[in-house]
Amino acid sequence: QVQLVESGGGLVQAGGSLRLSCAASGRTFSSYGMGWFRQAPGKEREFAAAISWSGGRTYYADSVKGRFTISRDNAKNTVYLQMNRLKPEDTAVYYCAASTYYSGSYSSEYHYWGQGTQVTVSS
């Protein structure tokens, strides 16, 4: 069982930056693929970024590519999402997710989810 707790959300002006963190419990964090998803009001949850268990492979949605960077520190059981040049359309609840075998864009392949952290970008 893995528990995920996100932090770092908040209110920021367009063009600003935020760094989200996702702290995981459990001794096997380093074997999990990790992803960040987001859900805006009235919209379906969508993929933002993912990272393989080793950190050697990363994946991004086209909408965030070049602006967001996913990384992980297995020694700290934490995955990060650095978000730069934020836009109002990035406003959403951001969720961290973990998979025992997958690191990609399909939310159905993730087994564990955090409660989410709100990111609001003002224009």
Side-chain angles (χ1 to χ4, degrees):
Q1 191 76 6
V2 174
Q3 291 187 325
L4 305 172
V5 179
E6 302 97 335
S7 62
L11 174 64
V12 64
Q13 288 188 332
S17 299
L18 282 175
R19 188 176 82 154
L20 305 183
S21 299
C22 173
S25 65
R27 295 174 293 176
T28 58
F29 172 78
S30 60
S31 67
Y32 285 88
M34 301 295 296
W36 284 97
F37 291 78
R38 64 186 186 180
Q39 188 167 18
K43 295 188 176 181
E44 293 187 354
R45 189 174 298 186
E46 65 174 13
F47 169 73
I51 189 166
S52 63
W53 65 272
S54 66
R57 290 172 293 165
T58 57
Y59 311 90
Y60 297 94
D62 287 344
S63 58
V64 308
K65 198 173 295 183
R67 300 187 298 121
F68 291 11
T69 302
I70 188 170
S71 61
R72 67 190 297 162
D73 186 338
N74 286 342
K76 295 182 178 180
N77 279 16
T78 302
V79 63
Y80 305 97
L81 186 67
Q82 177 67 43
M83 304 186 296
N84 298 328
R85 291 184 282 135
L86 282 160
K87 304 175 181 180
E89 51 264 43
D90 294 319
T91 295
V93 176
Y94 283 72
Y95 297 91
C96 172
S99 173
T100 59
Y101 61 82
Y102 178 76
S103 53
S105 62
Y106 293 105
S107 60
S108 59
E109 300 296 332
Y110 289 86
H111 305 94
Y112 305 103
W113 292 83
Q115 294 299 308
T117 185
Q118 176 71 48
V119 171
T120 303
V121 184
S122 63
S123 57

